[in-house]
Every structure is written in C-alpha cells, then in structure tokens.
Amino acid sequence: MLPLNMSDLANITGLGFHVLIPVVLLLVAGAGSYRFIARTAKAWRLKRRFKRGAQGELSASKYLVKHGFEILGAQTDIKPKIWVDGEEVTFNIRADFLVSKNGRNGVVEVKTGSSAPNPKNSATRRQILEYSCYYGVDDVYLFDAEKMKLMEIKFEVRGSGSHKNNNFALGVLAGSVITFSMNLLPLF
C-alpha cells in the first residue's frame, strides 16, 4: 500500500482541500500553542518558586542575625565523595547558610511552602541528614520561612556496616586477650 497524500486523505474523509488544509493547519497550530503555553506556565512556576525561596532566605537571614547567629556563609557549596563499587564519585551539596552561635557551628536549610518545612517530609529529612553527615558542623537547623520558626534537628545515628564490623573485631580482640590472660594466671 502506498503512502497517503493530501488528495487521498481528502477523498477518504469526504472533505475537499478547501476544508482539509485549514483543519490540518489548525491542528498543527494547536499543538504548537499547547507546547508554548505549557513551557510558559512551567517557566512561570519556576520563577515564582525561586522568588519565594529567595524571600524565605532573606527572612531567615534576618531572623538568624536577630537571634544571635553569625552568618559565616550563604549558599555554600561542598563536594563530598562517595565510593560506588570502589570508584570515587563526587557530587555537590549546597546549604542555605553556615552559621555560628555560642562557639558552635551549624548549617541552616530554609524551606517554604506547606510540606517542605516539615521534618517528617522525606526529601527534607534526607537533605538535612546529608548536611549533618558532610558539613562537619555541631548543629543542623531547619527554618520554616512561612512560620518564621527555626528548628534544631538531631538524628539518632546507628552504626553503619563498617562500624559494626569494627565493634565485632574489637569484641573478638577483647575476648582473645581475656582468654589468653586467664590461661596465664595458673602459671603465677
């Protein structure tokens, strides 16, 4: 079967060229308009989100200074490393603020909106846990820009597999020393 051309399409649909061509042009124009509107709407949402985030960070900086924090840095990047199957991988982390108060250093993450400032939000919790692991600070804070509330976050840290292996090795070593010592006691 040969590919259809415009005259075949006009014959199949029962429409003449005078109707078919404007219909095709309208469909193409509609698809293009939809893509343009969708892109514009996405750009507008991103712009609004970044503006809201910038306003939240400005509010946070004022709050922090007012409450005795010294701001050591804003939007501070670090490049931590992880190893995946023995291969080193680096990535970027950017905290909103590095702060200091009463001789303790901290990192502050600023969140806006209804769900992001909640420490129960998994994405937020993972982000601040990552900060607590990599920034080497004493304290980690989450700032709710909507409520103007600073929350200090502490994590229960359980040993990783390598720590468990180290503890096991220490236990075996201690047991060996005790057993060896007990065997030497009768000699004295």
Side-chain angles (χ1 to χ4, degrees):
M1 178 168 197
L2 298 174
L4 293 175
N5 60 35
M6 288 296 281
S7 63
D8 292 334
L9 191 56
N11 290 335
I12 291 171
T13 61
L15 301 173
F17 280 116
H18 66 285
V19 174
L20 188 59
I21 290 176
V23 168
V24 170
L25 289 176
L26 283 173
L27 288 173
V28 170
S33 296
Y34 173 78
R35 287 191 63 195
F36 173 77
I37 291 169
R39 285 182 181 174
T40 303
K42 183 178 180 181
W44 182 76
R45 284 191 304 271
L46 284 173
K47 184 177 178 181
R48 187 177 73 188
R49 181 176 162 204
F50 286 126
K51 182 178 178 184
R52 193 166 157 195
Q55 289 171 341
E57 289 173 14
L58 179 62
S59 297
S61 67
K62 290 177 182 178
Y63 178 97
L64 292 167
V65 170
K66 181 179 177 183
H67 288 86
F69 288 89
E70 178 186 355
I71 297 176
L72 304 174
Q75 296 297 318
T76 306
D77 284 338
I78 60 171
K79 290 184 182 269
K81 299 174 187 175
I82 60 173
W83 285 262
V84 178
D85 293 332
E87 185 176 327
E88 183 179 297
V89 177
T90 60
F91 54 97
N92 287 335
I93 300 176
R94 177 178 291 160
D96 291 326
F97 295 103
L98 294 179
V99 296
S100 180
K101 182 177 180 180
N102 300 327
R104 295 178 62 85
N105 291 330
V107 63
V108 179
E109 177 60 22
V110 179
K111 293 292 184 188
T112 59
S114 58
S115 62
N118 187 342
K120 291 182 179 179
N121 178 302
S122 62
T124 300
R125 190 177 58 252
R126 288 178 183 132
Q127 184 178 20
I128 56 180
L129 177 60
E130 187 174 60
Y131 292 169
S132 73
C133 291
Y134 289 113
Y135 271 93
V137 293
D138 303 307
D139 302 307
V140 179
Y141 299 96
L142 177 60
F143 185 78
D144 182 339
E146 308 293 324
K147 296 179 182 174
M148 296 295 289
K149 179 181 176 187
L150 183 68
M151 297 169 271
E152 181 179 5
I153 307 295
K154 299 279 186 192
F155 291 97
E156 174 186 14
V157 180
R158 298 180 183 196
S160 69
S162 62
H163 290 103
K164 289 178 186 175
N165 291 339
N166 289 341
N167 291 339
F168 177 75
L170 287 174
V172 169
L173 179 63
S176 299
V177 168
I178 291 170
T179 303
F180 181 73
S181 299
M182 301 278 294
N183 288 333
L184 290 180
L185 282 178
L187 298 176
F188 293 102

